[in-house]
Amino acid sequence: MITTQNLTKRFDQITAVENLTLEIPEGEVFGFLGPNGAGKTTTVRMLTSLISPTSGSATVNGHAIGERDIDIRRSVGLLTETPGWYDNLSAERNLEIYASLYEVEDIKGQVGKYLRFLGLWERRLDVTATFSKGMKQKLAIARALLHEPRTVFLDEPTAALDPEASRLVREFILEIKQQGRTIFICTHNLDEAERLCDRIAVFKTRLLVLDSPANLRRQVFGRKVVFHLLQADQALVEKIIQLPQVTEAKLIDHKIVATIDDPEKHNPEIIRLLVSEGADVQFVGELRRSLEDVYLQLVKNA
Amino acid sequence: MKKIQTIIRKEWSEVFKNRMVLFTVAFLPLLLTAIPLGIIYATSSSAEFAGASSEIPGEINAFCPSDFSGGDCFQVFIVSQFMIMFMIIPLAIPASISSYSIVGEKVNRSLEPLLATPITTTELLIGKSLAAIIPALAATWIGFTIFILGTWIIIANPEIIGYFLDGRWLIAIFVIGPLMALSAVSFSIIISSRVNDPRVAEQVSMIIILPVLAAFFGQMAGIITLNITFMLASVIVLALVDAVLVFFSIRLFQRETIITRWK
């Protein structure tokens, strides 16, 4: 579990993170979205006790940052933005070093387990200098999990991975979620955030919005329903827009796009109205705005 | 303690794969041990020096105990000039290892994942420092032992052996050596926080051997006499220098400073 209360970090005159207040329950996959320089990495660094906040407080797995830093680092795994390896050493040796520093008891067993799981067992004796970016990233994910942490911070986990490896990593994240771990993902990959995350925070120095991907869409754009008609005209739009549950309606070709509070409840009434006005309704669907649209809208307005 | 051992093993398994570091660690002690031994061999096998007491200048004779023959005194004088060069070993090796170790981590971006582990910065700093100091002291002490054994084999003169095993050189090797190694590591950490190329860090860190070269030339020019007073004064000065360098290196080697300020 992660909680923050007015967490703030300033570097001289620059405010990187301002009054961040969050509560992430145990076992949640939490997406942290924001443009470059928004303060995402600074937030992760504060929550992993790498840097201290200027003001505010936070607890990670019940340990307060600034007070129980070693306990925090012992209970979290961190995938850094750039993996960083000792390139003269083998993959296995690299992981063994970290396993030892993370106080893992069965070093060989844990290292072997994650090397196998991430498909790197056959290359375990090769020096990491010979590894591709994707392989180094996979190895970094293994490093973040070696000590079986309760909370995992993943900074751009699928950056530099090919589609197959990205999929493997996403499946892996869902699997570690099943184990009840809390997962905090910083990402620019909105599709990935939508697939993996229970809730998403859009962040630009301060928290802009925090909700589930579906609710975010609703919050930002409302829910839009498209009525496909055989023939449509402006008169039909004028009729629809007079309904109290419709906040906006537009005519686009032979389609009427209406913003409706509760489509499940109000669509039948609208369809009855259209039919009574002589319209031939071909089919009705919801216009899904991508999370990217939501994100861009929020960041633009910030 | 286990984490410090892990860091030391990690450092050694990594830096000793670097040819430059390996060259410094292996070749420098070899060279600086071979030079005085070569001089002893050359002067002891030459009849010219063997009984040449009357031809030895008074300044050199004054350098030795009164019971030394002219030839013995000449050998002692020449070798003493080079013994000070021996003190380059505990400076150059740690500077080389720690430059590659710390700047190497910066270049590989491996410091952040390392600092994210439950290791304290004190453990990390001690681990990195010991990984640089231990090989330097081992090389210095092994080199000095080889030098003494070699001298024994070549000239078998207990008086001359005793001269090199007197308080001055024991202080130099066993007290000044470790203090110098600590200075070199601390200085390298300060330099490494500012540069991004291990070779540049190593070259800049090598400035630290300048005082030894100054002592060498000062002795050759007759400005400095390497007596017990000089050695004890060096211990005090080095201890003070170390205190200052260690203070600044600890201040720079803080988790947040490394993450946010080391460029």
Side-chain angles (χ1 to χ4, degrees):
Chain A
M1 184 171 179
I2 301 167
T3 59
T4 70
Q5 194 67 43
N6 294 321
L7 198 66
T8 299
K9 181 69 184 178
R10 289 192 194 90
F11 295 105
D12 300 325
Q13 302 303 312
I14 298 162
T15 302
V17 177
E18 188 177 7
N19 292 326
L20 177 64
T21 299
L22 285 176
E23 189 166 326
I24 304 169
E26 194 101 32
E28 181 170 284
V29 180
F30 184 83
F32 205 51
L33 271 61
N36 290 332
K40 301 188 298 295
T41 300
T42 300
T43 304
V44 168
R45 284 173 172 173
M46 282 193 281
L47 294 176
T48 51
S49 299
L50 283 169
I51 60 174
S52 51
T54 308
S55 63
S57 61
T59 62
V60 179
N61 299 328
H63 308 300
I65 61 169
E67 291 172 19
R68 305 276 301 273
D69 289 344
I70 294 283
D71 290 326
I72 289 177
R73 286 198 289 274
R74 208 173 264 139
S75 70
V76 304
L78 170 64
L79 171 72
T80 50
E81 210 172 351
T82 42
W85 291 108
Y86 304 114
D87 277 341
N88 289 332
L89 306 182
S90 71
E92 189 175 48
R93 180 81 188 105
N94 265 285
L95 289 185
E96 282 172 358
I97 289 165
Y98 283 97
S100 173
L101 294 174
Y102 276 116
E103 303 159 3
V104 171
E105 283 184 13
D106 179 15
I107 291 177
K108 287 276 177 198
Q110 282 297 96
V111 168
K113 171 183 160 184
Y114 283 105
L115 282 173
R116 281 191 186 89
F117 192 88
L118 288 160
L120 295 169
W121 178 251
E122 300 301 323
R123 299 285 307 272
R124 68 190 183 282
L125 300 177
D126 294 349
V127 294
T128 56
T130 63
F131 278 27
S132 67
K133 273 186 183 177
M135 289 165 74
K136 285 184 178 181
Q137 187 78 343
K138 283 200 271 185
L139 203 60
I141 292 169
R143 173 173 60 197
L145 295 165
L146 278 173
H147 55 303
E148 308 293 355
R150 284 165 62 193
T151 300
V152 187
F153 291 87
L154 305 172
D155 204 348
E156 298 290 345
T158 56
L161 296 187
D162 59 41
E164 193 186 344
S166 298
R167 188 174 185 171
L168 178 77
V169 168
R170 278 196 297 271
E171 286 169 1
F172 188 58
I173 292 169
L174 289 173
E175 188 171 318
I176 57 174
K177 185 196 174 190
Q178 297 303 315
Q179 296 164 356
R181 298 181 214 256
T182 310
I183 304 168
F184 188 106
I185 305 176
C186 288
T187 183
H188 287 114
N189 187 333
L190 303 170
D191 177 51
E192 179 177 279
E194 187 158 25
R195 286 195 218 185
L196 293 174
C197 301
D198 300 314
R199 286 191 304 157
I200 286 172
V202 181
F203 183 80
K204 191 176 175 185
T205 306
R206 58 194 172 79
L207 187 64
L208 302 179
V209 69
L210 166 62
D211 216 324
S212 67
N215 285 346
L216 278 183
R217 272 195 211 92
R218 205 169 301 147
Q219 269 187 43
V220 177
F221 292 109
R223 291 182 72 185
K224 291 192 184 330
V225 177
V226 188
F227 299 92
H228 293 253
L229 308 176
L230 196 61
Q231 287 292 327
D233 57 32
Q234 192 58 34
L236 281 172
V237 176
E238 298 302 329
K239 291 273 182 194
I240 287 176
I241 210 159
Q242 283 170 16
L243 295 171
Q245 58 271 33
V246 177
T247 51
E248 190 187 3
K250 278 184 198 164
L251 179 67
I252 301 170
D253 298 329
H254 292 297
K255 296 185 289 263
I256 295 173
V257 180
T259 306
I260 301 166
D261 285 344
D262 187 353
E264 286 80 5
K265 185 178 172 189
H266 300 299
N267 275 357
E269 297 164 38
I270 298 167
I271 292 166
R272 275 198 294 275
L273 173 72
L274 288 169
V275 171
S276 69
E277 291 294 324
D280 295 320
V281 180
Q282 293 174 303
F283 54 91
V284 180
E286 184 166 4
L287 180 69
R288 282 179 66 85
R289 302 300 292 257
S290 70
L291 191 60
E292 186 174 59
D293 294 331
V294 176
Y295 170 82
L296 291 174
Q297 183 74 21
L298 284 165
V299 171
K300 192 176 85 181
N301 295 339
Chain B
M1 193 62 193
K2 198 181 165 200
K3 287 181 189 140
I4 293 173
Q5 286 173 0
T6 302
I7 293 296
I8 293 173
R9 279 201 298 270
K10 188 271 288 179
E11 295 294 327
W12 288 349
S13 55
E14 221 208 351
V15 294
F16 290 135
K17 286 190 176 163
N18 184 301
R19 283 181 197 162
M20 280 301 292
V21 176
L22 205 57
F23 179 82
T24 308
V25 174
F27 187 72
L28 191 69
L30 203 67
L31 184 75
L32 294 175
T33 308
I35 289 174
L37 281 178
I39 292 166
I40 288 177
Y41 180 76
T43 52
S44 64
S45 60
S46 168
E48 201 177 322
F49 294 108
S53 56
S54 58
E55 293 167 27
I56 303 294
E59 293 87 353
I60 295 179
N61 266 327
F63 189 82
C64 306
S66 55
D67 54 340
F68 271 33
S69 72
D72 289 347
C73 190
F74 188 78
Q75 279 183 328
V76 161
F77 176 77
I78 292 293
V79 172
S80 292
Q81 308 302 307
F82 284 94
M83 282 289 281
I84 189 79
M85 296 297 279
F86 212 68
M87 301 313 292
I88 286 177
I89 301 171
L91 286 173
I93 291 177
S96 179
I97 292 177
S98 51
S99 297
Y100 275 88
S101 147
I102 296 167
V103 182
E105 297 250 27
K106 279 171 78 177
V107 173
N108 289 335
R109 307 277 188 102
S110 52
L111 270 171
E112 189 169 353
L114 188 61
L115 291 167
T117 66
I119 193 170
T120 63
T121 44
T122 309
E123 287 171 323
L124 187 56
L125 187 60
I126 291 172
K128 282 191 172 286
S129 300
L130 288 178
I133 289 171
I134 291 169
L137 294 184
T140 308
W141 293 342
I142 291 168
F144 185 71
T145 307
I146 292 170
F147 166 73
I148 295 297
L149 290 174
T151 307
W152 181 266
I153 291 164
I154 295 166
I155 54 178
N157 184 336
E159 285 176 344
I160 293 181
I161 305 295
Y163 180 85
F164 292 121
L165 282 175
D166 75 357
R168 287 177 311 160
W169 289 109
L170 293 181
I171 289 171
I173 298 296
F174 294 105
V175 182
I176 293 178
L179 287 171
M180 281 179 158
L182 185 59
S183 313
V185 169
S186 306
F187 188 63
S188 287
I189 290 168
I190 294 167
I191 299 301
S192 299
S193 70
R194 297 280 171 228
V195 300
N196 284 318
D197 186 332
R199 284 164 299 184
V200 173
E202 188 187 23
Q203 284 159 11
V204 177
S205 299
M206 287 299 175
I207 290 171
I208 200 139
I209 67 170
L210 288 180
V212 173
L213 293 178
F216 173 73
F217 289 113
Q219 183 194 225
M220 294 276 266
I223 300 166
I224 296 169
T225 306
L226 297 182
N227 52 24
I228 193 94
T229 313
F230 179 84
M231 294 299 183
L232 289 173
S234 300
V235 170
I236 293 165
V237 170
L238 266 170
L240 292 172
V241 169
D242 276 355
V244 173
L245 289 175
V246 168
F247 171 77
F248 282 110
S249 65
I250 288 173
R251 278 195 63 177
L252 276 171
F253 209 81
Q254 295 300 312
R255 200 170 245 102
E256 182 153 350
T257 313
I258 295 168
I259 297 282
T260 59
R261 306 260 180 215
W262 283 28
K263 301 292 179 205

